[in-house]
Amino acid sequence: DSSSTPPAQVEANSPANDQIAAGKQVFQKNCLRCHGADAVGLAENWKKRGPDGNFPPPPLNGTGHAWHHSMQILRETVDNGGVPLGGVMPGFKDQLSEEQKTAVLAYIQSLWPEETLKMWKENNS
């Protein structure tokens, strides 16, 4: 199932590279304002509640906790947002197609360091 397989090192002009490029567009349109350029996050300490009592959006580039989660959990988070988990991220279930969700997750995973992606694969195979 390609929706649960993270991108490997991709060749230029490969279908995976096209998916990552499409995912970057989805990210820039829907995720960038909260998760920052290149998914680095916007808060210095995303593990500490802000003045509003909420945790800031975490980085998604492999330095946060997203890589600890299975593809199923990542997809559920995109669909349902963070509200079910006590967060404030909106859900995108009705805003993004399944193809767009897969692409944005491929883009996010393409930002992870190689060692992080390797650990994720080992934990989710």
Side-chain angles (χ1 to χ4, degrees), residues 74-124:
L74 295 174
R75 290 185 76 86
E76 287 174 8
T77 302
V78 172
D79 277 344
N80 304 319
V83 175
L85 305 171
V88 295
M89 176 183 152
F92 291 89
K93 186 175 193 165
D94 298 326
Q95 285 78 28
L96 300 176
S97 69
E98 292 305 311
E99 185 177 273
Q100 289 173 310
K101 293 173 203 173
T102 299
V104 77
L105 289 170
Y107 168 68
I108 289 166
Q109 288 182 317
S110 78
L111 300 173
W112 296 354
E114 191 173 325
E115 188 61 31
T116 299
L117 187 59
K118 181 181 173 191
M119 286 188 294
W120 185 87
K121 287 179 183 180
E122 288 171 0
N123 292 329
N124 291 285

Side-chain angles (χ1 to χ4, degrees), residues 4-61:
S4 63
T5 304
Q9 298 293 12
V10 294
E11 301 292 325
N13 301 317
S14 74
N17 200 45
D18 292 344
Q19 183 182 53
I20 291 167
K24 183 175 184 176
Q25 290 181 340
V26 173
F27 182 89
Q28 288 175 332
K29 183 177 178 188
N30 299 282
C31 315
L32 180 125
R33 77 168 194 254
C34 294
H35 290 284
D38 299 321
V40 298
L42 299 177
E44 191 172 313
N45 186 354
W46 56 271
K47 296 179 183 179
K48 183 179 179 190
R49 291 184 188 274
D52 61 2
N54 295 312
F55 288 101
L60 301 174
N61 64 352

